[in-house]
Amino acid sequence: MKGFRHATRLCVRNFQVDWQGIVHNAIYLEYFEIGRVEYLRGLGHILDLASVNRSTRVVLARNEIDYILPARFDDLLDVGTRVSMIGTSSFVFEGVIEVHKTKKLIARNRAVHVWLHPTEGYPIPVPGKFISRVEAYERKLIPRKIADL
């Protein structure tokens, strides 16, 4: 988890394993999403999914996964999460999954999120309060340029 200040621990469940005896490729998306949600909770960012009158609307625009090694039933996994870049209206989460016991890298993730106007749906600037919270948590300035998507 070097370079990741936030980690979430998960256990592979039997229903997440496919006919080959390994975690199904789509499940890794869930693992990384759990890591991102827990990271935001750690920042104190309110995740109000039930409210119709949300003042925050952030959507996933791109999600990349590199599968390195398979995870298996009952593996205890650590999901590392960090914000690595912040653009004008978007930001990038990076994630890694490691086997807790061996520290072997299972997968890497890069997820681009876009901040949207809560009712109109067009991109708006990433709020300064969010940037400040991320930089305080990460204890460093986050690069402000997003590479070609």
Side-chain angles (χ1 to χ4, degrees):
M1 295 283 116
K2 187 177 179 180
F4 289 85
R5 293 191 32 76
H6 187 273
T8 303
R9 188 155 298 149
L10 304 170
C11 185
V12 175
R13 305 297 179 197
N14 63 320
F15 57 87
Q16 297 171 326
V17 177
D18 65 16
W19 63 272
Q20 298 178 80
I22 59 176
V23 172
H24 187 274
N25 60 305
I27 299 300
Y28 293 93
L29 293 169
E30 292 181 24
Y31 292 164
F32 286 118
E33 177 71 9
I34 290 167
R36 291 190 297 266
V37 168
E38 294 306 317
Y39 180 98
L40 291 171
R41 277 198 183 113
L43 285 182
H45 187 74
I46 297 169
L47 300 169
D48 184 6
L49 302 178
S51 173
V52 177
N53 298 317
R54 284 181 248 166
S55 61
T56 299
R57 188 168 170 208
V58 178
V59 296
L60 182 65
R62 184 180 182 109
N63 211 356
E64 303 169 11
I65 297 179
D66 295 321
Y67 301 97
I68 312 300
L69 292 172
R72 300 181 185 282
F73 170 68
D74 223 21
D75 278 349
L76 198 56
L77 305 175
D78 292 325
V79 181
T81 307
R82 66 182 171 207
V83 173
S84 60
M85 288 185 263
I86 300 174
T88 303
S89 62
S90 59
F91 61 99
V92 176
F93 270 117
E94 288 183 349
V96 295
I97 299 175
E98 293 180 351
V99 176
H100 175 70
K101 188 175 181 179
T102 65
K103 306 303 181 207
K104 287 185 178 179
L105 181 64
I106 298 293
R108 285 188 296 260
N109 174 247
R110 183 174 183 265
V112 179
H113 291 72
V114 178
W115 216 283
L116 299 178
H117 186 277
T119 57
E120 302 299 319
Y122 55 81
I124 60 173
V126 176
K129 186 175 181 180
F130 177 78
I131 295 169
S132 298
R133 283 181 178 173
V134 168
E135 291 182 335
Y137 183 75
E138 294 290 346
R139 297 182 184 160
K140 65 179 185 177
L141 295 176
I142 305 298
R144 294 295 196 277
K145 181 178 179 183
I146 295 183
D148 292 337
L149 303 177

